[in-house]
């Protein structure tokens, strides 16, 4: 069964694009059912419409970067109306609260441009550079109430070079994001992800 994915976005949408492309080429067993943005002018909305995917802006009705109240209900309703099996946060710049998380319990993923649990929050590529780590990377994880702290599904590692700028490192990481996010969706769609305590076990592999 192909998994129906709802993608929440706020901006550029390059991760969304990688998901759309891999669905279209049938490299992954999924289809993007709806794209919702909290920013009216997000380029991600254009990408979705170009791919003939239903895409719309829903007013987040909050100045704080949190999805809450009536707006939260509107997001949940829209996702349910489109009958999504999985919700993917792809550069969605809002904290998702308990109501949404329990509605899509273990059916919501996020991509984060660091090797979690290192460097949570924002501007993490700069934080990695400033810290002087030799390796950085990206993480796909399930969303829980612990921001950037849910069980890890996949990670990818990239080297950090001494002459890296934030932009160069971000691009190196982003390339890996575009690879592992669709892969995590495919594993979910094929029902290969099992959660025990805080760990995700991938059926048929040793997690290598
Ligand atoms: C990505 O780096 C993602 O990891 C982070 O926000 C960025 C979104 O980029 N959560 P894009 O909108 O997918 O291009």
């Amino acid at each position: 069964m192909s998994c129906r994915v709802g993608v929440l976005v706020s901006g550029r949408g390059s991760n969304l694009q990688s998901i759309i492309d891999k669905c279209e080429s049938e490299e992954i067993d999924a289809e993007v059912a709806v794209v919702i943005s909290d920013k009216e002018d997000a380029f991600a909305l254009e990408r979705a419409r170009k791919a003939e995917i239903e895409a719309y802006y829903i007013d987040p009705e909050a100045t704080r970067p949190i999805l809450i109240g009536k707006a939260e209900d509107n997001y949940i309703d829209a996702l349910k109306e489109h009958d999504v099996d999985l919700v993917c946060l792809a550069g969605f710049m809002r904290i998702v609260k308990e109501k949404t998380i329990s509605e899509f319990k273990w059916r919501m993923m996020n991509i984060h441009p660091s090797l979690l649990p290192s460097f949570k929050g924002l501007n993490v590529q700069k934080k990695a550079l400033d810290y002087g780590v030799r390796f950085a990377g990206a993480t796909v994880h399930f969303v829980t109430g612990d921001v950037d702290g849910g069980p890890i599904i996949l990670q990818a590692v990239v080297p950090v070079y001494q002459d890296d700028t934030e932009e160069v490192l971000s691009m190196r990481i982003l390339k890996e994001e575009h690879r592992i996010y669709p892969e995590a969706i495919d594993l979910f769609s094929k029902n290969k992800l099992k959660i025990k305590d805080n760990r995700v076990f991938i059926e048929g592999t040793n997690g290598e």
Side-chain angles (χ1 to χ4, degrees):
M1 186 204 77
S2 176
C3 156
R4 290 174 63 77
V5 185
V7 186
L8 302 190
V9 295
S10 297
R12 173 179 65 179
S14 70
N15 276 288
L16 168 70
Q17 190 69 58
S18 73
I19 296 166
I20 291 173
D21 291 348
K22 295 210 171 158
C23 288
E24 280 183 350
S25 63
E26 296 182 7
E27 278 168 80
I28 67 171
D29 198 8
E31 64 178 291
V32 180
V34 64
V35 174
I36 306 173
S37 172
D38 66 339
K39 296 262 168 55
E40 216 163 355
D41 59 353
F43 185 58
L45 288 173
E46 282 184 40
R47 293 184 191 263
R49 290 180 187 132
K50 198 166 167 223
E52 297 179 355
I53 293 164
E54 217 173 311
Y56 42 97
Y57 159 71
I58 298 182
D59 189 346
E61 294 174 28
T63 44
R64 287 180 308 153
I66 297 178
L67 188 60
I68 204 156
K70 180 77 184 76
E72 183 177 27
D73 292 339
N74 293 339
Y75 274 75
I76 293 172
D77 290 348
L79 291 164
K80 284 167 79 175
E81 266 166 35
H82 287 84
D83 210 12
V84 304
D85 305 299
L86 175 69
V87 178
C88 287
L89 309 183
F92 185 60
M93 300 303 284
R94 256 162 226 282
I95 293 172
V96 177
K97 302 297 282 186
E98 201 43 50
K99 192 171 186 181
T100 312
I101 294 167
S102 56
E103 188 70 53
F104 299 99
K105 180 100 176 160
W106 304 131
R107 295 194 295 133
M108 191 182 302
M109 293 179 182
N110 181 43
I111 182 122
H112 184 79
S114 81
L115 289 175
L116 290 171
S118 291
F119 310 121
K120 296 181 177 181
L122 298 174
N123 306 318
V124 295
Q125 300 94 334
K126 179 168 188 313
K127 286 180 190 165
L129 274 182
D130 290 349
Y131 200 93
V133 293
R134 298 293 185 204
F135 294 94
T139 304
V140 182
H141 64 92
F142 281 112
V143 175
T144 65
D146 180 9
V147 178
D148 296 331
I152 291 169
I153 302 166
L154 291 176
Q155 291 188 303
V157 180
V158 303
V160 180
Y161 300 120
Q162 290 184 162
D163 59 357
D164 275 349
T165 59
E166 186 184 346
E167 198 181 26
V168 166
L169 178 60
S170 299
M171 283 303 138
R172 193 176 302 127
I173 294 170
L174 194 62
K175 197 167 164 231
E176 293 302 307
E177 295 183 38
H178 296 164
R179 183 175 64 78
I180 63 173
Y181 212 179
E183 193 180 329
I185 293 168
D186 191 51
L187 290 168
F188 177 91
S189 176
K190 293 180 170 141
N191 200 23
K192 288 192 171 172
L193 302 176
K194 306 290 172 213
I195 304 152
K196 269 191 223 145
D197 303 321
N198 195 50
R199 293 179 68 187
V200 178
F201 292 83
I202 303 173
E203 246 177 46
T205 76
N206 196 23
E208 68 275 2

